[in-house]
């Protein structure tokens, strides 16, 4: 309950640091009025004088309705104009050293982050510049095509797998007992002791959190009880499951089976505009499989350098050897033809 004397500055003559107990400015004699704000000097000593303590505890000064002067609570007549005491009082205010729950300041982007973002943008711009498509007039020097067909044959092959996953039509040649997997089976539990840390409140401590403006030139220290914690270690025993590993054996089979497999690739190619598929006859032992078609166009630019393009069939069919085209390239490879004007 420490009481300390406050200070006030005179609004009339500007004299600073008048003592809280002074009812008139010692410099100009002006009565301490309502507009005067009390403030606590950080190094103010604790008040021990009985009379001063009594004044501090008497309550806030009352404010004169006629002249505005403030007069100690126990005095019945105004210090300024001798008017009778009224109910109007100076405010009693709690002033905290640290305002509670301050709003967090908005996060600012760090300079380093901005620089990194800048470098990233430059890199993207550079990449776009490098990858930018170029357009040039080129002569179509020639065309070619290639068509391939995989030929499959029906034959007997030897494969291996677990017995319960054999394909239909498999004829087993030999089997072998093998470890297929291990199964985890819980057989029980065992106690395991661990050390855990926990925060325990061991008591409280008085912390000075601010002061109270008593409204009469004095201030009172404000305290708050804060919890005091201690980290303690505790051992706990928990049951952990215990497992057994059970081996599981199964039949690994070598088997033969009749099926279609890739045998060879038949190819047809040409430098004309009449592509055709290679002939593959279908029998009960042979059939055509996967087909692949590739069409190429060879352009020559103004420097005589060659650029190859692999367009789709319909684009390729419209090309005319010897004609000039506006060819679009990116990083040296042909992307296509510029749209006709
Ligand atoms: Zn003054
Ligand atoms: Zn008055």
């Amino acid at each position: 309950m420490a009481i300390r004397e406050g200070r006030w500055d005179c609004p009339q003559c500007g004299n600073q640091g008048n003592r809280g107990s002074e009812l008139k400015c010692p410099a100009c004699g002006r009565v301490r009025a309502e507009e005067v704000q009390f403030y606590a000097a950080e190094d103010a000593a604790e008040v021990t004088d009985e009379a001063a303590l009594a004044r501090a505890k008497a309550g806030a000064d009352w404010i004169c309705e006629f002249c505005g002067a403030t007069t100690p609570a126990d005095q019945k007549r105004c210090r300024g104009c001798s008017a009778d005491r009224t109910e109007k009082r100076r405010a009693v205010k709690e002033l905290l050293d640290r305002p509670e729950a301050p709003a967090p300041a908005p996060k600012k982007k760090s300079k380093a982050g901005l620089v990194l973002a800048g470098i990233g943008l430059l890199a993207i711009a550079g990449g776009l510049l490098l990858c930018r498509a170029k357009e040039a007039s080129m002569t179509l020097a020639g065309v070619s095509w290639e068509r391939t067909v995989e030929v499959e044959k029906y034959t007997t092959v030897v494969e291996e797998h677990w017995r319960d996953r054999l394909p239909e039509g498999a004829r087993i040649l030999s089997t072998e007992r093998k470890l297929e997997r291990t199964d985890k089976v819980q057989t029980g539990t065992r106690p395991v002791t661990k050390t855990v840390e926990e925060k325990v409140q061991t008591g409280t401590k008085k912390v000075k959190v601010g002061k109270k403006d008593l409204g009469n030139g004095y201030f009172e220290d404000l305290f708050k009880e804060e919890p005091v914690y201690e980290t303690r270690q505790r051992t706990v025993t928990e049951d952990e499951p215990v497992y057994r590993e059970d081996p599981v054996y199964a039949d690994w089979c070598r088997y033969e089976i009749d099926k279609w497999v890739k045998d060879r690739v038949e190819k047809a190619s040409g430098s004309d505009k009449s592509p055709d598929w290679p002939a593959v006859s279908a029998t009960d032992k042979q059939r055509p499989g996967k087909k692949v078609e590739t069409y190429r166009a060879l352009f020559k630019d103004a420097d005589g350098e060659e650029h190859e393009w692999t367009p789709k069939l319909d684009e390729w069919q419209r090309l005319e050897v010897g004609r000039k085209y506006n060819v679009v390239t990116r990083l040296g490879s042909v992307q296509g033809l510029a749209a006709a004007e």
Side-chain angles (χ1 to χ4, degrees), residues 9-29:
D9 299 339
C10 176
Q12 179 166 278
C13 73
N15 195 44
Q16 295 190 332
N18 293 339
R19 293 180 56 181
S21 58
E22 285 171 326
L23 303 177
K24 283 181 178 172
C25 173
C28 70

Side-chain angles (χ1 to χ4, degrees), residues 120-278:
L121 278 176
L122 276 178
I124 290 168
L128 282 175
L129 216 61
L130 273 177
C131 297
R132 203 168 55 185
K134 289 184 209 159
E135 202 180 304
S137 175
M138 298 187 195
T139 306
L140 182 61
V143 292
S144 65
W145 57 271
E146 186 185 299
R147 285 180 172 183
T148 60
V149 179
E150 271 183 14
V151 182
E152 294 175 344
K153 68 172 178 181
Y154 195 71
T155 188
T156 303
V157 292
V158 174
E159 297 174 342
E160 294 184 0
H161 218 304
W162 297 109
R163 184 189 288 276
D164 60 356
R165 269 161 275 171
L166 295 186
E168 209 166 317
R171 300 183 295 277
I172 294 171
L173 302 172
S174 64
T175 63
E176 186 191 347
R177 202 73 178 151
K178 275 202 339 188
L179 180 68
E180 189 188 359
R181 62 176 194 276
T182 49
D183 286 347
K184 237 176 153 187
V185 180
Q186 190 181 342
T187 56
T189 59
R190 77 189 152 123
V192 177
T193 303
K194 293 176 189 166
T195 305
V196 292
E197 281 195 343
E198 54 190 12
K199 218 173 152 190
V200 184
Q201 188 180 341
T202 54
T204 58
K205 64 174 176 199
K206 245 181 166 184
V207 182
K208 184 172 177 283
V209 292
K211 46 200 167 279
K212 192 195 255 180
D213 180 343
L214 298 174
N216 54 19
Y218 292 92
F219 286 83
E220 183 186 340
D221 289 349
L222 274 181
F223 291 92
K224 198 175 93 182
E225 291 282 329
E226 277 189 355
V228 175
Y229 297 98
E230 194 181 280
T231 301
R232 282 187 191 159
Q233 291 197 332
R234 193 164 61 92
T235 56
V236 289
T237 302
E238 284 169 4
D239 282 337
E240 268 191 0
V242 176
Y243 297 97
R244 186 185 68 211
E245 305 248 302
D246 279 359
V248 177
Y249 289 89
D251 284 341
W252 180 253
C253 300
R254 208 167 156 263
Y255 62 91
E256 60 176 25
I257 189 166
D258 299 328
K259 63 198 251 183
W260 289 100
V261 295
K262 182 183 161 184
D263 182 42
R264 61 185 195 278
V265 176
E266 292 288 352
K267 186 173 118 178
S269 61
S271 309
D272 51 30
K273 294 285 293 288
S274 318
D276 209 353
W277 289 105

